[in-house]
Amino acid sequence: QKEVEQDPGPLSVPEGAIVSLNCTYSNSAFQYFMWYRQYSRKGPELLMYTYSSGNKEDGRFTAQVDKSSKYISLFIRDSQPSDSATYLCAMSEGDRGSTLGRLYFGRGTQLTVWP
Amino acid sequence: DTAVSQTPKYLVTQMGNDKSIKCEQNLGHDTMYWYKQDSKKFLKIMFSYNNKELIINETVPNRFSPKSPDKAHLNLHINSLELGDSAVYFCASSQVLRGGINNYGYTFGSGTRLTVV
């Protein structure tokens, strides 16, 4: 499945660094864009959610979507060791009956923030 | 109180056996899913059910059979287990709004780590 591409890393940064995570996609029908965080041996948890193009900020996290370039990003400011996890991007076509609720995931980027 | 719970968390079994994984959600969501996560962390959809109706059935061997007795439960039965079935299986749920627009993403269970030996 190559609809969503994400560099798996690993990415290792010092505490306090700004982290940039990215995904590209090929399906222009994607309308909903999400970032999930997955700690080791846990299920993914929804971190950020964006509809269509634009930016969304939540605390230290900023999600950006550029539909014209088919490119999405997640920025983490002032990164903390507790941010160490795998980050997965995910996308949905929205109101297509045949794909009702289906999310397409990237492979995930493994991030380590060291103190 | 766990929102999406899966049992068992770990399952080690021999090739050729039949096993089941159970999933329950208490979020009142109308759609449930099974995803398989391989050793490289890639999440691939297997099935989805909306209000007990099968909606998505990916190219999955017919040894895998989902069952949804009600919209809060989605179980996965696997016959004749093979080595390649070893993976983490995640159940998830979401509320798909009228018109099929899924605005809120999924809530995942904590996964069932299946090892076939």
Side-chain angles (χ1 to χ4, degrees), chain B residues 32-69:
Chain B
M32 296 184 73
Y33 312 82
W34 279 112
Y35 274 78
K36 179 180 179 181
Q37 189 172 47
D38 61 23
S39 56
K40 296 189 175 167
K41 296 282 196 178
F42 184 56
L43 272 166
K44 190 167 173 5
I45 193 165
M46 300 174 71
F47 303 103
S48 80
Y49 273 77
N50 177 259
N51 283 317
K52 302 195 299 175
E53 181 187 350
L54 179 65
I55 300 296
I56 294 172
N57 184 351
E58 271 300 277
T59 311
V60 175
N62 57 16
R63 298 182 294 104
F64 290 79
S65 50
K67 267 209 175 77
S68 182

mmCIF file of all heavy atoms in Angstrom, chain B residues 32-69:
data_model
loop_
_atom_site.group_PDB
_atom_site.id
_atom_site.type_symbol
_atom_site.label_atom_id
_atom_site.label_comp_id
_atom_site.label_asym_id
_atom_site.label_seq_id
_atom_site.Cartn_x
_atom_site.Cartn_y
_atom_site.Cartn_z
ATOM 1 N N MET B 32 -16.802 -0.238 13.842
ATOM 2 C CA MET B 32 -15.657 -0.911 14.456
ATOM 3 C C MET B 32 -14.780 -1.522 13.379
ATOM 4 O O MET B 32 -15.254 -1.841 12.286
ATOM 5 C CB MET B 32 -16.128 -1.984 15.446
ATOM 6 C CG MET B 32 -16.884 -1.395 16.630
ATOM 7 S SD MET B 32 -17.360 -2.616 17.863
ATOM 8 C CE MET B 32 -15.773 -2.983 18.631
ATOM 9 N N TYR B 33 -13.501 -1.680 13.709
ATOM 10 C CA TYR B 33 -12.504 -2.090 12.722
ATOM 11 C C TYR B 33 -11.543 -3.114 13.325
ATOM 12 O O TYR B 33 -11.304 -3.115 14.528
ATOM 13 C CB TYR B 33 -11.647 -0.887 12.287
ATOM 14 C CG TYR B 33 -12.404 0.363 11.922
ATOM 15 C CD1 TYR B 33 -12.847 1.233 12.910
ATOM 16 C CD2 TYR B 33 -12.669 0.674 10.594
ATOM 17 C CE1 TYR B 33 -13.544 2.392 12.591
ATOM 18 C CE2 TYR B 33 -13.355 1.838 10.265
ATOM 19 C CZ TYR B 33 -13.788 2.688 11.259
ATOM 20 O OH TYR B 33 -14.472 3.830 10.933
ATOM 21 N N TRP B 34 -10.970 -3.909 12.433
ATOM 22 C CA TRP B 34 -9.781 -4.707 12.772
ATOM 23 C C TRP B 34 -8.653 -4.264 11.862
ATOM 24 O O TRP B 34 -8.806 -4.183 10.633
ATOM 25 C CB TRP B 34 -10.029 -6.210 12.568
ATOM 26 C CG TRP B 34 -10.752 -6.848 13.698
ATOM 27 C CD1 TRP B 34 -12.015 -7.352 13.687
ATOM 28 C CD2 TRP B 34 -10.254 -7.053 15.032
ATOM 29 N NE1 TRP B 34 -12.344 -7.853 14.921
ATOM 30 C CE2 TRP B 34 -11.277 -7.683 15.766
ATOM 31 C CE3 TRP B 34 -9.053 -6.776 15.682
ATOM 32 C CZ2 TRP B 34 -11.139 -8.033 17.109
ATOM 33 C CZ3 TRP B 34 -8.925 -7.122 17.008
ATOM 34 C CH2 TRP B 34 -9.950 -7.741 17.709
ATOM 35 N N TYR B 35 -7.515 -3.953 12.495
ATOM 36 C CA TYR B 35 -6.293 -3.625 11.777
ATOM 37 C C TYR B 35 -5.203 -4.604 12.196
ATOM 38 O O TYR B 35 -5.162 -5.058 13.338
ATOM 39 C CB TYR B 35 -5.819 -2.202 12.111
ATOM 40 C CG TYR B 35 -6.427 -1.121 11.269
ATOM 41 C CD1 TYR B 35 -7.713 -0.675 11.518
ATOM 42 C CD2 TYR B 35 -5.718 -0.548 10.216
ATOM 43 C CE1 TYR B 35 -8.275 0.324 10.729
ATOM 44 C CE2 TYR B 35 -6.270 0.454 9.429
ATOM 45 C CZ TYR B 35 -7.552 0.880 9.697
ATOM 46 O OH TYR B 35 -8.102 1.867 8.915
ATOM 47 N N LYS B 36 -4.298 -4.881 11.250
ATOM 48 C CA LYS B 36 -3.142 -5.725 11.547
ATOM 49 C C LYS B 36 -1.900 -4.842 11.469
ATOM 50 O O LYS B 36 -1.732 -4.093 10.495
ATOM 51 C CB LYS B 36 -3.053 -6.856 10.513
ATOM 52 C CG LYS B 36 -1.877 -7.788 10.698
ATOM 53 C CD LYS B 36 -1.881 -8.873 9.616
ATOM 54 C CE LYS B 36 -0.692 -9.801 9.765
ATOM 55 N NZ LYS B 36 -0.674 -10.853 8.704
ATOM 56 N N GLN B 37 -1.047 -4.915 12.495
ATOM 57 C CA GLN B 37 0.199 -4.153 12.487
ATOM 58 C C GLN B 37 1.370 -5.118 12.410
ATOM 59 O O GLN B 37 1.550 -5.948 13.298
ATOM 60 C CB GLN B 37 0.321 -3.262 13.728
ATOM 61 C CG GLN B 37 1.511 -2.297 13.652
ATOM 62 C CD GLN B 37 1.522 -1.281 14.775
ATOM 63 O OE1 GLN B 37 1.349 -1.615 15.935
ATOM 64 N NE2 GLN B 37 1.726 -0.012 14.432
ATOM 65 N N ASP B 38 2.172 -4.984 11.347
ATOM 66 C CA ASP B 38 3.281 -5.919 11.161
ATOM 67 C C ASP B 38 4.490 -5.476 11.984
ATOM 68 O O ASP B 38 4.435 -4.488 12.717
ATOM 69 C CB ASP B 38 3.624 -6.065 9.674
ATOM 70 C CG ASP B 38 4.069 -4.758 9.035
ATOM 71 O OD1 ASP B 38 4.539 -3.856 9.753
ATOM 72 O OD2 ASP B 38 3.943 -4.637 7.803
ATOM 73 N N SER B 39 5.564 -6.201 11.824
ATOM 74 C CA SER B 39 6.764 -5.959 12.643
ATOM 75 C C SER B 39 7.386 -4.601 12.347
ATOM 76 O O SER B 39 8.130 -4.060 13.161
ATOM 77 C CB SER B 39 7.801 -7.056 12.421
ATOM 78 O OG SER B 39 8.114 -7.135 11.051
ATOM 79 N N LYS B 40 7.060 -4.029 11.189
ATOM 80 C CA LYS B 40 7.586 -2.700 10.840
ATOM 81 C C LYS B 40 6.583 -1.601 11.173
ATOM 82 O O LYS B 40 6.691 -0.480 10.683
ATOM 83 C CB LYS B 40 7.957 -2.655 9.361
ATOM 84 C CG LYS B 40 9.083 -3.599 9.034
ATOM 85 C CD LYS B 40 9.613 -3.405 7.634
ATOM 86 C CE LYS B 40 10.821 -4.322 7.457
ATOM 87 N NZ LYS B 40 11.231 -4.461 6.093
ATOM 88 N N LYS B 41 5.604 -1.912 11.977
ATOM 89 C CA LYS B 41 4.632 -0.945 12.501
ATOM 90 C C LYS B 41 3.592 -0.498 11.484
ATOM 91 O O LYS B 41 2.853 0.443 11.755
ATOM 92 C CB LYS B 41 5.332 0.317 13.059
ATOM 93 C CG LYS B 41 6.212 0.062 14.237
ATOM 94 C CD LYS B 41 5.379 -0.090 15.474
ATOM 95 C CE LYS B 41 6.218 0.045 16.727
ATOM 96 N NZ LYS B 41 5.406 -0.050 17.931
ATOM 97 N N PHE B 42 3.535 -1.154 10.315
ATOM 98 C CA PHE B 42 2.564 -0.721 9.326
ATOM 99 C C PHE B 42 1.175 -1.239 9.688
ATOM 100 O O PHE B 42 0.984 -2.432 9.898
ATOM 101 C CB PHE B 42 2.980 -1.208 7.945
ATOM 102 C CG PHE B 42 2.093 -0.731 6.851
ATOM 103 C CD1 PHE B 42 1.854 0.621 6.664
ATOM 104 C CD2 PHE B 42 1.452 -1.622 6.011
ATOM 105 C CE1 PHE B 42 1.025 1.078 5.672
ATOM 106 C CE2 PHE B 42 0.613 -1.182 5.006
ATOM 107 C CZ PHE B 42 0.402 0.169 4.827
ATOM 108 N N LEU B 43 0.208 -0.323 9.752
ATOM 109 C CA LEU B 43 -1.174 -0.656 10.092
ATOM 110 C C LEU B 43 -1.980 -0.863 8.819
ATOM 111 O O LEU B 43 -2.145 0.055 8.028
ATOM 112 C CB LEU B 43 -1.806 0.486 10.891
ATOM 113 C CG LEU B 43 -1.636 0.455 12.393
ATOM 114 C CD1 LEU B 43 -2.009 1.803 12.984
ATOM 115 C CD2 LEU B 43 -2.488 -0.631 13.025
ATOM 116 N N LYS B 44 -2.550 -2.062 8.683
ATOM 117 C CA LYS B 44 -3.302 -2.374 7.465
ATOM 118 C C LYS B 44 -4.711 -2.800 7.851
ATOM 119 O O LYS B 44 -4.887 -3.675 8.701
ATOM 120 C CB LYS B 44 -2.597 -3.495 6.724
ATOM 121 C CG LYS B 44 -3.120 -3.761 5.321
ATOM 122 C CD LYS B 44 -2.149 -4.654 4.606
ATOM 123 C CE LYS B 44 -2.563 -5.167 3.278
ATOM 124 N NZ LYS B 44 -3.708 -4.829 2.605
ATOM 125 N N ILE B 45 -5.708 -2.198 7.220
ATOM 126 C CA ILE B 45 -7.083 -2.529 7.571
ATOM 127 C C ILE B 45 -7.423 -3.942 7.115
ATOM 128 O O ILE B 45 -6.953 -4.409 6.077
ATOM 129 C CB ILE B 45 -8.085 -1.512 6.978
ATOM 130 C CG1 ILE B 45 -9.450 -1.702 7.619
ATOM 131 C CG2 ILE B 45 -8.145 -1.634 5.461
ATOM 132 C CD1 ILE B 45 -10.406 -0.552 7.377
ATOM 133 N N MET B 46 -8.232 -4.608 7.921
ATOM 134 C CA MET B 46 -8.724 -5.938 7.546
ATOM 135 C C MET B 46 -10.229 -5.869 7.293
ATOM 136 O O MET B 46 -10.714 -6.274 6.251
ATOM 137 C CB MET B 46 -8.423 -6.936 8.660
ATOM 138 C CG MET B 46 -6.948 -7.084 8.977
ATOM 139 S SD MET B 46 -6.668 -8.127 10.403
ATOM 140 C CE MET B 46 -7.103 -9.728 9.747
ATOM 141 N N PHE B 47 -10.955 -5.404 8.295
ATOM 142 C CA PHE B 47 -12.420 -5.379 8.213
ATOM 143 C C PHE B 47 -12.957 -4.131 8.905
ATOM 144 O O PHE B 47 -12.314 -3.590 9.804
ATOM 145 C CB PHE B 47 -13.029 -6.590 8.936
ATOM 146 C CG PHE B 47 -12.562 -7.928 8.449
ATOM 147 C CD1 PHE B 47 -11.623 -8.651 9.171
ATOM 148 C CD2 PHE B 47 -13.069 -8.471 7.274
ATOM 149 C CE1 PHE B 47 -11.188 -9.881 8.731
ATOM 150 C CE2 PHE B 47 -12.642 -9.699 6.829
ATOM 151 C CZ PHE B 47 -11.693 -10.408 7.561
ATOM 152 N N SER B 48 -14.150 -3.710 8.473
ATOM 153 C CA SER B 48 -14.885 -2.746 9.269
ATOM 154 C C SER B 48 -16.365 -3.105 9.245
ATOM 155 O O SER B 48 -16.871 -3.648 8.257
ATOM 156 C CB SER B 48 -14.675 -1.306 8.796
ATOM 157 O OG SER B 48 -15.487 -1.044 7.678
ATOM 158 N N TYR B 49 -17.034 -2.803 10.348
ATOM 159 C CA TYR B 49 -18.466 -3.022 10.499
ATOM 160 C C TYR B 49 -19.108 -1.709 10.921
ATOM 161 O O TYR B 49 -18.609 -1.015 11.799
ATOM 162 C CB TYR B 49 -18.741 -4.064 11.589
ATOM 163 C CG TYR B 49 -18.736 -5.484 11.105
ATOM 164 C CD1 TYR B 49 -17.534 -6.131 10.842
ATOM 165 C CD2 TYR B 49 -19.919 -6.188 10.912
ATOM 166 C CE1 TYR B 49 -17.527 -7.439 10.388
ATOM 167 C CE2 TYR B 49 -19.917 -7.496 10.471
ATOM 168 C CZ TYR B 49 -18.708 -8.117 10.212
ATOM 169 O OH TYR B 49 -18.696 -9.407 9.771
ATOM 170 N N ASN B 50 -20.231 -1.390 10.284
ATOM 171 C CA ASN B 50 -21.027 -0.227 10.669
ATOM 172 C C ASN B 50 -22.396 -0.735 11.096
ATOM 173 O O ASN B 50 -23.115 -1.325 10.290
ATOM 174 C CB ASN B 50 -21.140 0.758 9.503
ATOM 175 C CG ASN B 50 -22.024 1.940 9.832
ATOM 176 O OD1 ASN B 50 -23.175 2.003 9.429
ATOM 177 N ND2 ASN B 50 -21.484 2.884 10.560
ATOM 178 N N ASN B 51 -22.722 -0.531 12.380
ATOM 179 C CA ASN B 51 -23.993 -1.025 12.903
ATOM 180 C C ASN B 51 -24.245 -2.493 12.536
ATOM 181 O O ASN B 51 -25.296 -2.855 12.017
ATOM 182 C CB ASN B 51 -25.163 -0.172 12.402
ATOM 183 C CG ASN B 51 -25.264 1.133 13.150
ATOM 184 O OD1 ASN B 51 -25.118 1.167 14.367
ATOM 185 N ND2 ASN B 51 -25.493 2.207 12.427
ATOM 186 N N LYS B 52 -23.262 -3.308 12.787
ATOM 187 C CA LYS B 52 -23.288 -4.768 12.576
ATOM 188 C C LYS B 52 -23.221 -5.185 11.114
ATOM 189 O O LYS B 52 -23.253 -6.367 10.806
ATOM 190 C CB LYS B 52 -24.528 -5.413 13.217
ATOM 191 C CG LYS B 52 -24.674 -5.193 14.709
ATOM 192 C CD LYS B 52 -25.689 -6.134 15.316
ATOM 193 C CE LYS B 52 -27.063 -5.941 14.741
ATOM 194 N NZ LYS B 52 -28.027 -6.940 15.252
ATOM 195 N N GLU B 53 -23.122 -4.223 10.200
ATOM 196 C CA GLU B 53 -23.063 -4.566 8.780
ATOM 197 C C GLU B 53 -21.608 -4.487 8.295
ATOM 198 O O GLU B 53 -20.915 -3.488 8.535
ATOM 199 C CB GLU B 53 -23.922 -3.594 7.967
ATOM 200 C CG GLU B 53 -23.936 -3.896 6.481
ATOM 201 C CD GLU B 53 -24.650 -2.809 5.690
ATOM 202 O OE1 GLU B 53 -25.288 -1.935 6.303
ATOM 203 O OE2 GLU B 53 -24.552 -2.839 4.451
ATOM 204 N N LEU B 54 -21.160 -5.540 7.599
ATOM 205 C CA LEU B 54 -19.794 -5.554 7.070
ATOM 206 C C LEU B 54 -19.676 -4.521 5.950
ATOM 207 O O LEU B 54 -20.427 -4.552 4.971
ATOM 208 C CB LEU B 54 -19.462 -6.954 6.534
ATOM 209 C CG LEU B 54 -18.069 -7.139 5.927
ATOM 210 C CD1 LEU B 54 -16.989 -6.963 6.983
ATOM 211 C CD2 LEU B 54 -17.949 -8.509 5.271
ATOM 212 N N ILE B 55 -18.732 -3.595 6.104
ATOM 213 C CA ILE B 55 -18.553 -2.522 5.137
ATOM 214 C C ILE B 55 -17.261 -2.723 4.342
ATOM 215 O O ILE B 55 -17.238 -2.592 3.129
ATOM 216 C CB ILE B 55 -18.493 -1.143 5.844
ATOM 217 C CG1 ILE B 55 -19.772 -0.885 6.619
ATOM 218 C CG2 ILE B 55 -18.212 -0.032 4.852
ATOM 219 C CD1 ILE B 55 -21.006 -0.772 5.760
ATOM 220 N N ILE B 56 -16.177 -2.961 5.045
ATOM 221 C CA ILE B 56 -14.885 -3.143 4.389
ATOM 222 C C ILE B 56 -14.406 -4.558 4.659
ATOM 223 O O ILE B 56 -14.396 -5.017 5.796
ATOM 224 C CB ILE B 56 -13.844 -2.134 4.902
ATOM 225 C CG1 ILE B 56 -14.232 -0.715 4.510
ATOM 226 C CG2 ILE B 56 -12.440 -2.464 4.364
ATOM 227 C CD1 ILE B 56 -13.358 0.366 5.133
ATOM 228 N N ASN B 57 -14.034 -5.241 3.594
ATOM 229 C CA ASN B 57 -13.462 -6.578 3.700
ATOM 230 C C ASN B 57 -12.262 -6.573 2.771
ATOM 231 O O ASN B 57 -12.397 -6.773 1.568
ATOM 232 C CB ASN B 57 -14.498 -7.615 3.291
ATOM 233 C CG ASN B 57 -14.003 -9.041 3.477
ATOM 234 O OD1 ASN B 57 -12.825 -9.265 3.753
ATOM 235 N ND2 ASN B 57 -14.882 -9.992 3.343
ATOM 236 N N GLU B 58 -11.098 -6.265 3.332
ATOM 237 C CA GLU B 58 -9.887 -6.160 2.510
ATOM 238 C C GLU B 58 -9.476 -7.541 2.034
ATOM 239 O O GLU B 58 -10.063 -8.549 2.416
ATOM 240 C CB GLU B 58 -8.755 -5.536 3.321
ATOM 241 C CG GLU B 58 -8.709 -4.030 3.236
ATOM 242 C CD GLU B 58 -8.523 -3.499 1.839
ATOM 243 O OE1 GLU B 58 -7.371 -3.423 1.356
ATOM 244 O OE2 GLU B 58 -9.530 -3.133 1.222
ATOM 245 N N THR B 59 -8.436 -7.554 1.232
ATOM 246 C CA THR B 59 -7.951 -8.825 0.708
ATOM 247 C C THR B 59 -7.291 -9.599 1.848
ATOM 248 O O THR B 59 -6.094 -9.490 2.089
ATOM 249 C CB THR B 59 -6.934 -8.586 -0.422
ATOM 250 O OG1 THR B 59 -7.476 -7.665 -1.333
ATOM 251 C CG2 THR B 59 -6.592 -9.888 -1.119
ATOM 252 N N VAL B 60 -8.117 -10.308 2.559
ATOM 253 C CA VAL B 60 -7.665 -11.056 3.730
ATOM 254 C C VAL B 60 -8.022 -12.519 3.474
ATOM 255 O O VAL B 60 -9.113 -12.792 2.962
ATOM 256 C CB VAL B 60 -8.401 -10.533 4.990
ATOM 257 C CG1 VAL B 60 -8.045 -11.363 6.207
ATOM 258 C CG2 VAL B 60 -8.064 -9.075 5.239
ATOM 259 N N PRO B 61 -7.132 -13.463 3.803
ATOM 260 C CA PRO B 61 -7.480 -14.877 3.608
ATOM 261 C C PRO B 61 -8.792 -15.221 4.298
ATOM 262 O O PRO B 61 -9.104 -14.677 5.378
ATOM 263 C CB PRO B 61 -6.304 -15.625 4.263
ATOM 264 C CG PRO B 61 -5.174 -14.670 4.255
ATOM 265 C CD PRO B 61 -5.773 -13.301 4.364
ATOM 266 N N ASN B 62 -9.586 -16.103 3.698
ATOM 267 C CA ASN B 62 -10.880 -16.395 4.311
ATOM 268 C C ASN B 62 -10.754 -17.267 5.552
ATOM 269 O O ASN B 62 -11.759 -17.695 6.128
ATOM 270 C CB ASN B 62 -11.856 -16.999 3.299
ATOM 271 C CG ASN B 62 -11.303 -18.256 2.651
ATOM 272 O OD1 ASN B 62 -10.349 -18.837 3.151
ATOM 273 N ND2 ASN B 62 -11.883 -18.650 1.540
ATOM 274 N N ARG B 63 -9.533 -17.509 5.999
ATOM 275 C CA ARG B 63 -9.320 -18.116 7.327
ATOM 276 C C ARG B 63 -9.690 -17.117 8.430
ATOM 277 O O ARG B 63 -9.883 -17.510 9.583
ATOM 278 C CB ARG B 63 -7.845 -18.519 7.508
ATOM 279 C CG ARG B 63 -7.363 -19.571 6.517
ATOM 280 C CD ARG B 63 -5.915 -19.969 6.781
ATOM 281 N NE ARG B 63 -4.973 -18.866 6.549
ATOM 282 C CZ ARG B 63 -4.397 -18.161 7.503
ATOM 283 N NH1 ARG B 63 -4.633 -18.409 8.774
ATOM 284 N NH2 ARG B 63 -3.541 -17.194 7.198
ATOM 285 N N PHE B 64 -9.746 -15.824 8.064
ATOM 286 C CA PHE B 64 -10.093 -14.784 9.022
ATOM 287 C C PHE B 64 -11.586 -14.488 8.875
ATOM 288 O O PHE B 64 -12.047 -14.137 7.777
ATOM 289 C CB PHE B 64 -9.305 -13.503 8.745
ATOM 290 C CG PHE B 64 -7.847 -13.614 9.058
ATOM 291 C CD1 PHE B 64 -6.973 -14.249 8.178
ATOM 292 C CD2 PHE B 64 -7.325 -13.089 10.226
ATOM 293 C CE1 PHE B 64 -5.617 -14.363 8.464
ATOM 294 C CE2 PHE B 64 -5.977 -13.189 10.518
ATOM 295 C CZ PHE B 64 -5.121 -13.826 9.641
ATOM 296 N N SER B 65 -12.325 -14.615 9.957
ATOM 297 C CA SER B 65 -13.753 -14.320 9.864
ATOM 298 C C SER B 65 -14.171 -13.429 11.034
ATOM 299 O O SER B 65 -14.074 -13.821 12.195
ATOM 300 C CB SER B 65 -14.597 -15.602 9.839
ATOM 301 O OG SER B 65 -14.224 -16.462 10.887
ATOM 302 N N PRO B 66 -14.624 -12.225 10.707
ATOM 303 C CA PRO B 66 -15.110 -11.321 11.746
ATOM 304 C C PRO B 66 -16.566 -11.629 12.060
ATOM 305 O O PRO B 66 -17.296 -12.183 11.240
ATOM 306 C CB PRO B 66 -14.980 -9.949 11.085
ATOM 307 C CG PRO B 66 -15.157 -10.228 9.623
ATOM 308 C CD PRO B 66 -14.670 -11.617 9.370
ATOM 309 N N LYS B 67 -16.955 -11.226 13.278
ATOM 310 C CA LYS B 67 -18.375 -11.363 13.662
ATOM 311 C C LYS B 67 -18.723 -10.198 14.565
ATOM 312 O O LYS B 67 -17.997 -9.908 15.520
ATOM 313 C CB LYS B 67 -18.593 -12.679 14.427
ATOM 314 C CG LYS B 67 -19.004 -13.835 13.563
ATOM 315 C CD LYS B 67 -19.857 -14.827 14.324
ATOM 316 C CE LYS B 67 -20.347 -15.908 13.399
ATOM 317 N NZ LYS B 67 -19.350 -16.907 13.054
ATOM 318 N N SER B 68 -19.846 -9.556 14.274
ATOM 319 C CA SER B 68 -20.294 -8.432 15.092
ATOM 320 C C SER B 68 -21.694 -8.728 15.612
ATOM 321 O O SER B 68 -22.683 -8.482 14.917
ATOM 322 C CB SER B 68 -20.286 -7.151 14.259
ATOM 323 O OG SER B 68 -20.680 -6.043 15.036
ATOM 324 N N PRO B 69 -21.804 -9.251 16.836
ATOM 325 C CA PRO B 69 -23.134 -9.579 17.367
ATOM 326 C C PRO B 69 -23.983 -8.347 17.651
ATOM 327 O O PRO B 69 -25.211 -8.416 17.606
ATOM 328 C CB PRO B 69 -22.811 -10.329 18.666
ATOM 329 C CG PRO B 69 -21.416 -9.936 19.015
ATOM 330 C CD PRO B 69 -20.714 -9.600 17.743
#
